[in-house]
Amino acid sequence: MAAETEDLTAKYEAVIGLEVHVQLATRTKIFCACATSFGAPANTNVCPVCLGLPGALPVLNRAAVEMAVRASLGLHCRVNPVSRFARKNYFYPDLPKGFQISQYDEPLAEHGWVEVPAAGGGAKRIGITRVHLEDDAGKSIHDGFRDSADYTYVDLNRAGTPLIEIVSEPDIRTPDEAYAYLTALKETMQFLGVSECDMEKGQLRCDANVSIRPRGETKLGTKAEVKNLNSFRFARLAIEYEIARQARVLSSGGRLVQETRLYNADTGETVSMRSKEHAHDYRYFPEPDLAPVRISAEWLEQIRADMPEPPAEKRARFIASYGLREYDAQVLTGSRELSDYFEAVVKACGDPRLAANWVTGDLMGALDGKPIEESPVPAGRLGELCTLIAKGEISGKLAKEIFARMVETGDSPGVIMEREGLRQISDKGELDRIVNEVLAASTKQVEQYRSGKTAVIGYLVGQVMKATQGQADPGAVRELLQAKLSS
Ligand code: ADP
Ligand code: ZN
Ligand code: MG
């Protein structure tokens, strides 16, 4: 079976395009003033507009448009000066209006891209076809009630929550690339403050379009759209399964049909749900109750100016202007807060490499997986510590000791050094005296050194460090010992 699958992946190439829905982090819904808060009692965040009552008119939430534009810019899209809402008509119990307000042939933004790490090193661009605005439906609740066996309940709190749909080009070739693409999208949305992308709260939802074709073929094959992917991990597994399934069908002489399939996380399989619906099934038509969305050049520039730097750009800048290694730049742009923290340390000490080492090393070790927002050491304090190291006032070893106290107390390095008598012995005379004492007490080792066994100096350095309780600079101690021993 494993060998057979391998054979098939050598023969066929997968083609994948993802449709991702992201819930925008606005306080209120897209067409009414109801709250978007998660976890409110069922059917309390509702009004005539989001309940779809006759005569209620939608009013577009400006904050939702701004966030959607920010997201589009972060995905390097062209934002259209005019876009239009359209009704997508279908019946479902959690859709009281009987239609979704979406965008169809005139979307908010188009022609963008996202970069993901390429399999052979470097980066690969995945095209973004479009980003459009739409409203969310409510939620059907199939279990959890005493009579759930007989009834389905509907909670309309989510109805009217603003979403963007991000449609990718069919540029993705492997399940791993799909995973990387989703990770990059999520990271970008979080960085830009567009969405928290908490999948457990349904803030990011993904459908995968999958087809295969013989390697070398340029025409697209017949695709299946896989729904119900509740995590990035499931998305990867579902795509893997789907590629193998399609390859088996084709290689055994079968034919694929365009269809919608559902992923079952318990079995790890996809099962056919319905044959593919087509755009004309939805009878799209322009939304008569909303004016076109107009984004002036001034507004667009304003949004661009107020927008945080997207993660990929930030990473490139960390490498180019701070001289960081790719890996450190990657780690330090893991969240916007972490990158801000790092830059504050750099600003305080003026040494980016040193700051990177301390943040990715000792600080992240102390955080032990907790987010940087919970750091017991404020960025300014770590900056002070790095400044002392950079100026050569404390050794790396002493710095580690001071840092441990900073984690415990949150105090500044200066205060800790004062209070605990932790300081570098830079007084030449004092160090000289201690070195002489150690040499006098180690006649055997001194003899060994003079007869050519110079490695014994390590022992002598150790003795001096012990006598100073680690408060001497080991480099300076070694030099002083060498000078005395060879005179
Ligand atoms: P539909 O009309 O079925 O909605 P679209 O052309 O709008 O199809 O594309 C929807 C998504 O499917 C996009 O992400 C697109 O990249 C992807 N896609 C389109 N054709 C294929 C294909 N043959 N194989 C894989 N993905 C595809
Ligand atoms: Zn409402
Ligand atoms: Mg489509």
Side-chain angles (χ1 to χ4, degrees):
M1 175 63 210
E4 182 203 345
T5 307
E6 222 165 273
D7 214 42
L8 293 178
T9 50
K11 190 162 160 207
Y12 295 106
E13 170 183 65
V15 174
I16 302 152
L18 298 181
E19 295 169 283
V20 175
H21 287 89
V22 172
Q23 183 181 318
L24 300 176
T26 54
R27 275 186 313 103
T28 56
K29 294 185 180 179
I30 183 166
F31 299 124
C32 62
C34 293
T36 52
S37 56
F38 185 84
N43 299 305
T44 55
N45 290 341
V46 292
C47 74
V49 173
C50 54
L51 289 175
L53 300 186
L57 289 174
V59 178
L60 180 58
N61 179 346
R62 188 181 164 94
V65 179
E66 282 192 0
M67 279 192 195
V69 169
R70 209 191 296 161
S72 303
L73 292 175
L75 301 172
H76 314 95
C77 287
R78 216 157 66 205
V79 176
N80 291 322
V82 179
S83 65
R84 230 172 276 271
F85 285 106
R87 289 190 183 181
K88 181 181 184 181
N89 300 278
Y90 66 97
F91 172 81
Y92 209 73
D94 61 20
L95 186 73
K97 297 195 300 302
F99 56 86
Q100 179 186 30
I101 301 180
S102 182
Q103 296 188 304
Y104 182 51
D105 46 8
E106 295 176 78
L108 180 76
E110 296 168 275
H111 311 297
W113 50 266
V114 164
E115 237 164 36
V116 299
K124 169 176 172 176
R125 274 189 188 184
I126 309 292
I128 305 282
T129 313
R130 55 189 275 154
V131 175
H132 67 248
L133 271 162
E134 57 189 29
D135 64 356
D136 207 347
K139 244 188 253 180
S140 298
I141 304 171
H142 302 288
D143 43 38
F145 291 97
R146 205 162 16 97
D147 47 4
S148 282
D150 301 316
Y151 298 98
T152 288
Y153 286 74
V154 174
D155 177 3
L156 294 174
N157 281 350
R158 201 180 68 184
T161 298
L163 302 177
I164 47 172
E165 178 172 345
I166 303 166
V167 181
S168 87
E169 289 290 301
D171 289 346
I172 301 166
R173 292 289 172 270
T174 65
D176 282 344
E177 250 173 49
Y179 190 95
Y181 169 80
L182 288 169
T183 305
L185 271 195
K186 176 176 167 179
E187 195 182 55
T188 301
M189 295 302 122
Q190 289 178 334
F191 248 82
L192 299 181
V194 164
S195 176
E196 285 169 31
C197 296
D198 184 341
M199 289 188 87
E200 287 183 4
K201 294 184 184 164
Q203 291 169 349
L204 189 154
R205 283 166 260 160
C206 152
D207 302 328
N209 297 271
V210 182
S211 67
I212 60 169
R213 60 187 173 191
R215 285 193 187 274
E217 171 64 67
T218 52
K219 274 205 328 262
L220 292 173
T222 302
K223 74 181 164 95
E225 179 172 351
V226 185
K227 292 190 175 286
N228 200 30
L229 307 173
N230 297 327
S231 71
F232 292 0
R233 197 171 66 83
F234 287 156
R236 177 157 58 190
L237 289 170
I239 293 167
E240 264 169 27
Y241 177 88
E242 191 52 28
I243 293 168
R245 182 191 71 82
Q246 293 183 10
R248 279 197 302 272
V249 172
L250 287 192
S251 65
S252 60
R255 282 189 43 165
L256 293 164
V257 288
Q258 189 164 326
E259 61 183 347
T260 302
R261 299 178 70 88
L262 212 56
Y263 178 66
N264 180 337
D266 295 328
T267 60
E269 296 174 351
T270 66
V271 290
S272 184
M273 186 164 95
R274 56 171 186 247
S275 68
K276 168 68 189 170
E277 72 284 0
H278 293 280
H280 60 252
D281 296 332
Y282 292 116
R283 297 183 298 117
Y284 277 100
F285 64 84
E287 166 60 59
D289 291 340
L290 286 162
V293 183
R294 290 180 195 280
I295 295 164
S296 67
E298 294 77 46
W299 194 16
L300 187 62
E301 279 325 300
Q302 190 61 50
I303 296 171
R304 199 193 296 276
D306 293 345
M307 178 170 129
E309 185 181 28
E313 278 75 354
K314 194 175 287 250
R315 205 165 294 141
R317 181 168 61 81
F318 280 9
I319 293 169
S321 58
Y322 291 151
L324 298 194
R325 286 177 303 158
E326 173 114 31
Y327 177 78
D328 285 342
Q330 180 76 36
V331 172
L332 290 169
T333 52
S335 76
R336 191 165 101 203
E337 290 76 10
L338 180 60
S339 62
D340 287 346
Y341 184 102
F342 164 68
E343 291 209 275
V345 178
V346 174
K347 203 165 161 218
C349 76
D351 188 335
R353 304 273 278 271
L354 184 66
N357 282 342
W358 275 85
V359 174
T360 59
D362 293 72
L363 180 70
M364 291 183 81
L367 284 171
D368 195 20
K370 286 202 300 265
I372 192 73
E373 298 90 295
E374 292 173 33
S375 172
V377 180
R381 295 271 152 87
L382 185 55
E384 287 172 41
L385 186 71
C386 290
T387 304
L388 292 170
I389 304 168
K391 284 198 201 147
E393 290 182 14
I394 56 174
S395 66
K397 182 167 183 299
L398 185 56
K400 279 184 189 295
E401 224 171 291
I402 296 168
F403 179 76
R405 301 281 202 291
M406 289 167 70
V407 170
E408 284 162 21
T409 63
D411 290 334
S412 77
V415 166
I416 291 168
M417 287 164 72
E418 183 76 22
R419 187 175 57 220
E420 321 220 348
L422 287 170
R423 65 194 172 85
Q424 191 95 345
I425 297 179
S426 47
D427 179 343
K428 265 259 157 40
E430 193 180 351
L431 194 56
D432 207 63
R433 183 179 56 74
I434 297 171
V435 167
N436 285 341
E437 277 173 18
V438 166
L439 288 176
S442 318
T443 44
K444 190 168 128 226
Q445 285 79 12
V446 170
E447 222 168 88
Q448 285 174 334
Y449 184 91
R450 292 210 162 114
S451 68
K453 289 188 181 162
T454 52
V456 77
I457 195 158
Y459 166 84
L460 296 169
V461 171
Q463 290 302 108
V464 175
M465 293 310 290
K466 203 162 130 193
T468 60
Q469 280 139 12
Q471 292 177 22
D473 175 358
V477 170
R478 179 179 292 265
E479 273 174 33
L480 195 55
L481 281 166
Q482 274 166 342
K484 284 180 187 290
L485 287 166
S486 49
S487 67

